[in-house]
Amino acid sequence: SQTIHQWPATLVQPVGSPLSLECTVEGTSNPNLYWYRQAAGRGLQLLFYSVGIGQISSEVPQNLSASRPQDRQFILSSKKLLLSDSGFYLCAWSNGEVNIQYFGAGTRLSVL
Amino acid sequence: GESVGLHLPTLSVQEGDNSIINCAYSNSASDYFIWYKQESGKGPQFIIDIRSNMDKRQGQRVTVLLNKTVKHLSLQIAATQPGDSAVYFCAENRFGYGQNFVFGPGTRLSVLP
């Protein structure tokens, strides 16, 4: 069966520090991968998605970037965090035939 | 846990009663819909989906109803249990079989003993 791992679960970082959140998927190949941010009382906001290695689409301009160095690995990064980057970040995957997106457990990022 | 859902509408139901959670969508071109359940501190969990060529679909203790005329989606949970307490939100796909879903803000379901 397919599983998705996302870490760390919580992270506290100072303003101006770098960020790296990692997401890996097991049990499937060539998944579509997604990074979302979830704000309190609002719907999920799609940040990036990827349909293959090295292929990244950005949905909103921001201080973040994403990379997909391997088929089942998706990384969310920042060179210098801002206070406004605080939030709950979710990674998800889907396969090309079924649209259902399956989510990781999320990372709670606090930028202080 | 995370602060998701602090200001969401809340539905409180008695344990054993049926719950109905509603969702309005805006794009008449949306043709695929999903309901997710999100417990505190966890990622969203897929519950049930429905395509626009259907108006009803049933799962285990859950039923999704789709009314395309008024662009309305509902999730019915039968015999609500304490473990059903969570935030529920719908997602619509605006591009047919594409990947770009639009997610609603959600409704918090509280099950009273």
Side-chain angles (χ1 to χ4, degrees):
Chain A
S1 63
Q2 300 87 0
T3 56
I4 179 168
H5 302 281
Q6 190 179 339
W7 69 92
T10 59
L11 187 61
V12 181
Q13 292 283 100
V15 169
S17 64
L19 173 73
S20 181
L21 302 182
E22 189 162 343
C23 174
T24 60
V25 180
E26 297 178 356
T28 188
S29 58
N30 196 30
N32 298 318
L33 297 173
Y34 312 84
W35 277 112
Y36 288 91
R37 178 161 49 202
Q38 187 174 33
R42 304 181 70 176
L44 296 175
Q45 180 188 35
L46 180 63
L47 302 176
F48 301 95
Y49 72 92
S50 171
V51 298
I53 296 174
Q55 301 178 60
I56 308 295
S57 296
S58 175
E59 291 296 300
V60 294
Q62 58 206 307
N63 185 43
L64 303 169
S65 62
S67 62
R68 184 170 178 173
Q70 300 180 44
D71 180 46
R72 288 169 289 179
Q73 184 184 28
F74 205 24
I75 298 172
L76 184 68
S77 304
S78 174
K79 292 182 180 178
K80 289 185 178 182
L81 283 169
L82 306 172
L83 287 174
S84 58
D85 291 323
S86 295
F88 191 57
Y89 290 86
L90 288 159
C91 180
W93 74 272
S94 67
N95 68 30
E97 297 178 352
V98 180
N99 281 0
I100 301 169
Q101 294 186 16
Y102 298 96
F103 289 85
T107 295
R108 178 66 174 166
L109 172 65
S110 297
V111 182
L112 305 177
Chain B
E2 80 287 358
S3 59
V4 169
L6 276 181
H7 307 291
L8 295 175
T10 299
L11 174 66
S12 297
V13 298
Q14 211 69 36
E15 181 179 353
D17 288 351
N18 297 334
S19 302
I20 300 176
I21 301 170
N22 298 303
C23 178
Y25 63 96
S26 57
N27 192 333
S28 56
S30 294
D31 62 359
Y32 180 61
F33 306 87
I34 297 178
W35 277 102
Y36 285 95
K37 172 186 180 183
Q38 187 173 21
E39 297 176 83
S40 181
K42 298 183 179 180
Q45 177 186 6
F46 169 83
I47 302 174
I48 193 168
D49 60 351
I50 189 168
R51 296 199 181 275
S52 59
N53 60 354
M54 304 172 67
D55 53 19
K56 180 180 180 178
R57 191 172 187 204
Q58 289 184 292
Q60 186 178 13
R61 278 202 309 120
V62 295
T63 301
V64 56
L65 299 177
L66 174 63
N67 186 329
K68 295 181 287 293
T69 302
V70 295
K71 296 198 288 288
H72 182 267
L73 196 68
S74 68
L75 177 70
Q76 301 178 4
I77 304 174
T80 312
Q81 304 169 359
D84 294 328
S85 292
V87 173
Y88 292 81
F89 57 89
C90 64
E92 62 176 297
N93 187 318
R94 296 187 172 194
F95 300 103
Y97 290 94
Q99 285 81 40
N100 292 341
F101 280 90
V102 174
F103 294 85
T107 297
R108 180 180 300 281
L109 176 65
S110 294
V111 181
L112 307 173

